[in-house]
Amino acid sequence: VQLQAFGGGLVQAGGSLRLSCTASARTFTRSAMAWFRQAPGKEREFVAAISWSAIGWSGAVTQYADSVKGRFIISRDNAKNTVYLQMNSLKPEDRAVYYCAADPKYTIATMNRDYEYDYWGHGTKVTVSS
């Protein structure tokens, strides 16, 4: 297993959670990292992505789905080979299994496309109660 995601759980609407995903250095370095999610009975959808930057997340390009923009923040810590998803103001519709993924061959234009990602972690479940 090259990617491992942590941090899911049960939270009330309006609350926050932070997901973490740790990768091997080989998988993490120079890869775009992303979070996708799949709600019950729905297709997997893009949540957020962050490009590689040798100087850390402050130099990276980030992308967000419209549904999470302004509420979620993706970041990465190169020293820890870890990508984070800070989820604030959670809504019941955010309930899903969240997956992290890595794409070493990315372009900025493809960071939101799940079929471009080569490596996937096991999901972590997020439940939001109303």
Side-chain angles (χ1 to χ4, degrees), residues 5 27 39 41 43-44 57 81 106 126 130:
T27 300
E43 293 187 354
R44 186 169 60 194
W57 77 276
N81 298 322
Y106 77 99
V126 172
S130 57

Side-chain angles (χ1 to χ4, degrees), residues 33-36 45-50 62-65 68 72-74 85 111 117:
M33 302 296 296
W35 291 93
F36 294 84
E45 64 176 1
F46 169 74
V47 177
I50 185 167
T62 57
Q63 294 180 359
Y64 296 93
V68 307
F72 291 9
I73 300 171
I74 188 169
L85 185 68
M111 290 203 303
Y117 284 79

Side-chain angles (χ1 to χ4, degrees), residues 2-127:
Q2 300 197 36
L3 301 173
Q4 291 189 328
F6 305 92
L10 172 65
V11 64
Q12 286 188 331
S16 298
L17 279 175
R18 188 175 81 156
L19 306 183
S20 302
C21 174
T22 300
S24 66
R26 182 175 181 178
T27 300
F28 190 84
T29 304
R30 287 183 289 279
S31 290
M33 302 296 296
W35 291 93
F36 294 84
R37 68 186 181 187
Q38 187 166 20
K42 295 187 177 181
E43 293 187 354
R44 186 169 60 194
E45 64 176 1
F46 169 74
V47 177
I50 185 167
S51 69
W52 167 254
S53 171
I55 64 172
W57 77 276
S58 63
V61 174
T62 57
Q63 294 180 359
Y64 296 93
D66 288 343
S67 59
V68 307
K69 207 170 289 183
R71 299 188 297 122
F72 291 9
I73 300 171
I74 188 169
S75 61
R76 64 191 298 161
D77 184 334
N78 292 349
K80 296 181 179 179
N81 298 322
T82 299
V83 62
Y84 302 98
L85 185 68
Q86 177 66 43
M87 304 187 295
N88 302 317
S89 302
L90 282 161
K91 304 176 180 179
E93 52 263 42
D94 294 319
R95 175 195 175 202
V97 177
Y98 284 71
Y99 299 90
C100 63
D103 179 8
K105 304 183 300 296
Y106 77 99
T107 67
I108 299 301
T110 64
M111 290 203 303
N112 62 347
R113 301 174 188 173
D114 60 352
Y115 54 84
E116 295 286 347
Y117 284 79
D118 296 321
Y119 305 104
W120 291 82
H122 295 302
T124 184
K125 187 175 182 180
V126 172
T127 304

